[in-house]
Amino acid sequence: MQKIDLIALDLDGTALAPQNTVSAATREAVRRAREAGLHVVISTGRICGEARDFAIALDANDLMVTAGGASLSSVSSGRCIMRMSMPWEPAVRVAAAVERIGITAMVYAGETLLITPYDDMEFGRYKSNEGYLAVKQVVPSVAEYIAENHLSVDKIFARTQDAVMLGMIRGQIEKIPGVRVMSSAADNIEVVTPSADKGTALGMLCRELGTDLSRAAAIGDSENDLEMLRAVALPIAMGNATDEVKAICSWETLTNAQDGVAAAIDRILAGSE
């Protein structure tokens, strides 16, 4: 096995259990890896404020890839230290399309999550962590708010259980110049600038820590992890990963309900001894 000195962890469907919690087994595995001299970093689609809560729970390194690769963030400061944002014009078009169809969405603008009152009601059913509550800003229309303030946007996240509707909105958004559409689960789409992805951002993070992707491992489960998994020396798929993810990975660990990240970290440590 390659000499690995950094492990990048996706959160949802990967380092987090199905209930969006950090298990004791996963936290202990992260501790063992860091005691062995490895960097363990978060690489997630979530905004810094949300990701920070989980990074602290995992006791991961300070630097994180956030917003699906559109930003690098610091756990200790709770802020972005680098952003690759989409200009306000395409962001307005995407936000307007989502609002017109009427599916729930969150718009990531720096350290702020912009949502409508309807989105606030829907996301409030299951999002109660401190990071989310601290960064959300409720506005009557997100599209109008972006247009009026000429805001650069890191990511737009939209969710619906209606697969037909999701496919329809994805098809519409993919025709908008200056954006890239991906997904982190079967019920959502994520929209970023074409230059932003987890692989590119993780390469920047590696350089900040004095290492590079040739000595990095990454663990993921979904479409928005593909660039990261392709970029690293050791790509690892979760047992619950999509077939597309599994096809490009070196090996497969257990599911996130079975502490698959802990099992993968222990296998990496065993191979590096």
Side-chain angles (χ1 to χ4, degrees), residues 244-259:
E244 188 178 12
V245 166
K246 291 179 180 179
I248 67 168
C249 287
S250 298
W251 41 269
E252 179 182 332
T253 186
L254 301 173
T255 70
N256 65 323
Q258 301 168 309
D259 294 321

Side-chain angles (χ1 to χ4, degrees), residues 32-161:
R32 288 192 294 274
R34 295 193 65 188
E35 287 183 349
L38 280 69
H39 304 289
V40 181
V41 302
I42 301 303
S43 181
T44 179
R46 293 180 184 247
I47 196 171
C48 175
E50 279 197 294
R52 181 176 182 268
D53 292 349
F54 296 113
I56 291 170
L58 286 160
D59 196 22
N61 278 77
D62 186 66
L63 287 183
M64 305 181 287
V65 173
T66 48
S71 58
L72 292 182
S73 299
S74 163
V75 176
S76 56
S77 71
R79 300 187 65 82
C80 301
I81 61 171
M82 183 283 297
R83 296 176 62 193
M84 291 185 286
S85 306
M86 69 183 91
W88 68 270
E89 294 97 329
V92 168
R93 293 184 64 184
V94 174
V98 170
E99 288 182 14
R100 184 167 58 248
I101 289 180
I103 64 177
T104 55
M106 292 187 290
V107 175
Y108 297 41
E111 278 74 47
T112 303
L113 278 178
L114 297 172
I115 55 177
T116 67
Y118 170 73
D119 299 327
D120 190 31
M121 178 180 67
E122 291 298 310
F123 286 118
R125 297 180 194 276
Y126 66 93
K127 279 185 170 289
S128 59
N129 59 298
E130 184 178 342
Y132 168 75
L133 297 174
V135 299
K136 73 172 184 176
Q137 180 177 346
V138 182
V139 296
S141 167
V142 173
E144 290 181 7
Y145 188 85
I146 296 169
E148 290 169 359
N149 294 280
H150 287 197
L151 293 179
S152 296
V153 168
D154 298 339
K155 191 178 84 167
I156 296 175
F157 172 91
R159 167 177 284 164
T160 177
Q161 298 296 326

